[in-house]
Amino acid sequence: MNFDYSETQLMAGQTAKDFAEKYIRPHIMEWDEAQHFPVEVFKKAGEFGLMGILVPEEYGGSGLGYHEYISIIEEVSKVDPSIGLSLAAQNSLCTNHILQFGSEEIKQKYLPKLALGEFIGAWGLTEHNTGSDAGGMNTTAVRDGDYYILNGAKNFITHAISGNIAVVIARTGEKGDSHGMSAFVVEKGTPGFSSGKKENKMGMRASETAELIFDNCKIPVANLLGEEGEGFVQSMKILDGGRISIGALSLGIAKGAYEAALQYSKDRVQFGKPISKFQGISFKLADMATEIEASELLLHKAAFLKNKGVKMTKLSAMCKMYASETCVKVANEALQIHGGYGYSKEFPVEKFYRDSKLCTIGEGTTEIQKLVISREVLS
């Protein structure tokens, strides 16, 4: 085993770091307070190759693997997790679903625009009454000649308002049947396709979240991804990679919060010495550093399996669960180390704390990850 970062991985991480410092850091709290989704930043990210990280060069992407992907999401998330979340959603959900299951015509039509940042993508699986129970969805797609007619709504959808296209999973068969759902590409501006109000969130506020609404929305059969009835199975495969994304996001949050706490503990003097010299603080830092290291190793093992193209459902659930729970714990301890200043928006750990919790919920709650892991180990 080789634990050294490759030159490509180091370069990818440095590119993301430079991008984040120049185009994101100056605006973090401005975007957070206003809950502003900075579309222009994502178009700029396309110029840096950050919107189609996993997309092959033949479709205008960067053609990188999952190790580089983790480095990019991590570096951006150390600066602003909400931008890291949107980058992860763009790459691992909408874009990756089209890449993995779209026809050649659909790939040629949409992937270059997504990879270059000309298009922002959304991905619609979750509904109001079917969060973890995605198979019980109510949104339907009924075949009508050369079209499907979509009716229903999706909620908690990243980029639901600003997205140019959405990959939407809808029921084409019986409710609860894992082969009774299909995936479609729906373009913004299609009659009957609209967005609901933006969610007013605790954290991740610069990452846009809203409803997708379908009212007799007419979609060409050519926009079907794969075969009818494959949508749910496709989605579960997409979520395997998506869990690496949330793990990488979690790793970035944890590292950002840890580094802020480490520096503060060296600078903050109480009772005549830096607080890092007190065992109560130094032991917190030791635990944080160890759990971050473990998260990183789990993530890159999952990435190794993903790059090989072998089944990694168990590892993806493990890395997502462990890294997300770690980032919440680290953000909490980082805030505690800062004391009263940690509760102030003048210091970065306040935002890391608010942003961290989404990681234990999005793309499968911690409880769902445990369900996935237990099924895998008991099978």
Side-chain angles (χ1 to χ4, degrees):
M1 282 183 280
N2 181 2
F3 291 98
D4 292 331
Y5 279 17
S6 69
E7 185 177 345
T8 306
Q9 195 176 345
L10 291 170
M11 287 176 61
Q14 188 61 51
T15 297
K17 182 177 181 179
D18 293 343
F19 174 81
E21 290 295 334
K22 183 173 181 180
Y23 296 103
I24 300 172
R25 190 177 293 283
H27 309 287
I28 294 171
M29 293 312 297
E30 167 197 341
W31 295 340
D32 183 76
E33 295 284 354
Q35 201 165 216
H36 172 66
F37 179 63
V39 173
E40 67 284 354
V41 167
F42 293 95
K43 294 188 180 299
K44 179 62 70 173
E47 297 175 19
F48 281 72
L50 305 180
M51 295 288 272
I53 301 166
L54 302 167
V55 175
E57 293 180 19
E58 64 188 278
Y59 299 114
S62 296
L64 299 174
Y66 273 85
H67 293 299
E68 292 82 8
Y69 179 57
I70 290 169
S71 295
I72 289 168
I73 299 301
E74 173 196 328
E75 288 294 343
V76 171
S77 302
K78 282 168 68 175
V79 175
D80 188 342
S82 58
I83 304 303
L85 172 63
S86 275
L87 275 181
Q90 171 82 6
N91 281 279
S92 71
L93 298 179
C94 175
T95 302
N96 202 36
H97 201 137
I98 291 171
L99 175 64
Q100 295 299 318
F101 301 107
S103 65
E104 186 60 28
E105 181 183 356
I106 284 179
K107 290 179 185 178
Q108 293 285 356
K109 184 176 182 180
Y110 295 117
L111 288 179
K113 287 183 168 62
L114 288 162
L116 294 172
E118 294 176 22
F119 274 13
I120 290 173
W123 191 75
L125 178 65
T126 303
E127 297 184 4
H128 292 273
N129 297 314
T130 59
S132 297
D133 181 20
M137 67 178 58
N138 294 311
T139 299
T140 58
V142 178
R143 181 76 181 260
D144 181 15
D146 292 332
Y147 294 88
Y148 283 90
I149 310 300
L150 270 64
N151 281 288
K154 302 290 179 176
N155 79 324
F156 296 139
I157 306 302
T158 306
H159 309 153
I161 298 170
S162 299
N164 302 93
I165 64 168
V167 170
V168 179
I169 295 83
R171 188 159 53 82
T172 49
E174 294 300 315
K175 185 178 288 192
D177 179 3
S178 63
H179 294 284
M181 290 158 276
S182 305
F184 305 88
V185 177
V186 187
E187 291 192 31
K188 188 175 187 177
T190 301
F193 178 33
S194 61
S195 304
K197 70 177 181 65
K198 185 187 291 188
E199 297 289 344
N200 189 9
K201 299 176 298 183
M202 176 177 81
M204 300 291 191
R205 290 172 59 81
S207 180
E208 179 184 274
T209 307
E211 276 186 309
L212 294 175
I213 301 167
F214 307 94
D215 182 8
N216 291 319
C217 182
K218 200 172 180 182
I219 306 301
V221 170
N223 283 29
L224 176 69
L225 293 170
E227 300 296 324
E228 183 176 302
E230 293 180 349
F232 185 76
V233 176
Q234 291 173 3
S235 297
M236 294 305 102
K237 292 177 181 178
I238 292 300
L239 286 173
D240 277 350
R243 287 168 183 151
I244 293 177
S245 296
I246 300 300
L249 171 65
S250 302
L251 181 64
I253 293 172
K255 284 190 175 183
Y258 167 74
E259 290 170 9
L262 180 64
Q263 187 59 53
Y264 182 84
S265 74
K266 293 176 179 178
D267 295 338
R268 176 68 165 169
V269 175
Q270 294 284 273
F271 305 102
K273 59 183 177 181
I275 62 172
S276 59
K277 298 295 184 181
F278 293 98
Q279 189 178 82
I281 300 300
S282 65
F283 277 18
K284 285 182 187 294
L285 293 166
D287 286 340
M288 292 156 78
T290 302
E291 291 176 7
I292 287 170
E293 191 76 16
S295 297
E296 192 160 18
L297 288 169
L298 265 175
L299 269 167
H300 282 288
K301 184 173 182 182
F304 172 75
L305 295 177
K306 185 68 174 173
N307 283 341
K308 285 180 68 177
V310 300
K311 184 181 179 184
M312 37 72 74
T313 301
K314 181 179 73 173
L315 256 295
S316 72
M318 284 179 169
C319 76
K320 193 274 186 187
M321 179 185 75
Y322 189 84
S324 64
E325 290 292 341
T326 292
C327 89
V328 172
K329 192 184 302 183
V330 168
N332 180 57
E333 291 288 45
L335 195 152
Q336 190 72 16
I337 288 170
H338 278 70
Y341 290 111
Y343 208 65
S344 166
K345 291 182 182 289
E346 297 299 315
F347 287 77
V349 292
E350 177 271 343
K351 185 174 183 298
F352 283 128
Y353 183 76
R354 285 188 291 111
D355 288 346
S356 66
K357 189 57 192 170
L358 184 277
C359 297
T360 67
I361 299 169
E363 295 195 36
T365 62
T366 293
E367 292 72 24
I368 288 294
Q369 305 314 314
K370 288 182 179 180
L371 183 65
V372 171
I373 295 164
S374 62
R375 283 175 176 171
E376 289 293 316
V377 298
L378 292 170
S379 62

